Amino acid sequence: LLKTYLTDFLREDTYAASTAGLGYAYELTSKGIRLTFSGFSDKLPAFATTVAAKIAAFVPQDEAKLERYKDQISRDLAEFVNQQPYQKAGLFARLCTDAPSYLPPDVMEELKGVTFKELQEWTRKLWTEGFGEALVQGNFEEREALELMRKVEDSFQFKAVPPEKRATSTVVELPIEKDGYGLALIREELNPSEVNSAVMVQFQNPNQDLKNQMAMLVIAA
């Protein structure tokens, strides 16, 4: 909901910037919020600073839009039922090892009960504390990159959360079966008119060594 409100709120500013080749992305993930700024322009630092400041200060104000946004989000989530079986199988396979994780129907159900007051209160608390990491990539000198990050950081001014209190996503280790074919997760097809099915086979690598993990990605590619 917040992302939808924000997109609408920033549309005028970001549209003008997009015609100059500048863009931004605002994503909410299980690990937190990810902001991305991009573009081949010397105006990128100013654009990133301006948008970051507006995001940090934003609190939804138009309650009349809430139900319309809810309906829009619900319709997008409802499309999950009509996806191909292999697409659903891929999502199930990924979510069963990620924590926290939620299926689109669960999100739809939760969405119904969200009030405008709750959305405002949650938004006001969003930037009170946190932990941020940044990556600056491209034609920047170190001094310019650090200055850009300082300006973006100043926009949020949240209280730093100590390491032991930082929320992180985890990978759930699947149980090892001594006999048989391993662990089987069986889900009924949600679309009653769908006659096809899909099987997703997943092998989990328990080795946490970064070099080993990277080698697997290279081999898989």
Side-chain angles (χ1 to χ4, degrees):
L1 282 170
L2 176 59
K3 181 179 178 180
T4 307
Y5 267 101
L6 260 173
T7 301
D8 198 17
F9 173 71
L10 294 171
R11 193 179 308 280
E12 184 175 343
D13 294 325
T14 55
Y15 175 76
S18 68
T19 61
L22 295 170
Y24 87 104
Y26 180 89
E27 301 172 77
L28 289 94
T29 72
S30 59
K31 293 182 179 180
I33 296 171
R34 180 186 297 121
L35 286 173
T36 306
F37 302 100
S38 60
F40 297 96
S41 171
D42 59 354
K43 304 296 184 184
L44 178 59
F47 172 69
T49 302
T50 300
V51 173
K54 290 190 175 185
I55 289 175
F58 178 76
V59 176
Q61 298 298 326
D62 193 345
E63 186 174 1
K65 293 181 178 180
L66 181 66
E67 291 305 318
R68 175 161 60 90
Y69 288 160
K70 278 188 175 183
D71 179 65
Q72 176 184 326
I73 296 169
S74 294
R75 282 187 279 109
D76 290 341
L77 291 169
E79 284 301 309
F80 169 74
V81 175
N82 298 319
Q83 288 183 350
Q84 295 295 318
Y86 76 89
Q87 293 174 303
K88 297 193 189 81
L91 179 63
F92 290 142
R94 186 174 74 252
L95 294 185
C96 75
T97 57
D98 290 345
S101 60
Y102 309 96
L103 289 172
D106 299 328
V107 178
M108 286 178 61
E109 190 62 32
E110 187 68 24
L111 182 66
K112 296 176 183 177
V114 177
T115 66
F116 188 69
K117 182 180 178 181
E118 288 174 333
L119 177 61
Q120 285 187 316
E121 291 176 348
W122 181 80
T123 304
R124 290 191 180 99
K125 295 178 182 178
L126 186 60
W127 303 113
T128 55
E129 59 180 12
F131 170 73
E133 292 181 312
L135 169 66
V136 179
Q137 181 176 322
N139 189 24
F140 283 93
E141 294 184 359
E142 182 179 356
R143 173 185 55 82
E144 296 172 325
L146 292 174
E147 178 65 14
L148 172 58
M149 288 301 94
R150 184 189 64 78
K151 290 181 178 179
V152 172
E153 183 180 19
D154 288 346
S155 299
F156 295 100
Q157 298 183 343
F158 50 71
K159 178 182 177 183
V161 175
E164 64 273 12
K165 292 186 177 181
R166 294 172 192 166
T168 58
S169 59
T170 58
V171 176
V172 179
E173 186 173 348
L174 299 176
I176 298 175
E177 300 291 335
K178 294 182 178 180
D179 301 310
Y181 297 97
L183 181 69
L185 175 65
I186 301 174
R187 296 296 300 247
E188 184 178 349
E189 171 56 52
L190 299 174
N191 186 352
S193 63
E194 180 61 68
V195 297
N196 296 309
S197 59
V199 175
M200 177 72 67
V201 180
Q202 184 167 290
F203 298 94
Q204 192 173 46
N205 178 19
N207 193 318
Q208 297 297 310
D209 179 69
L210 180 59
K211 185 175 182 180
N212 183 278
Q213 295 285 344
M214 292 300 295
M216 282 197 63
L217 290 176
V218 171
I219 293 172

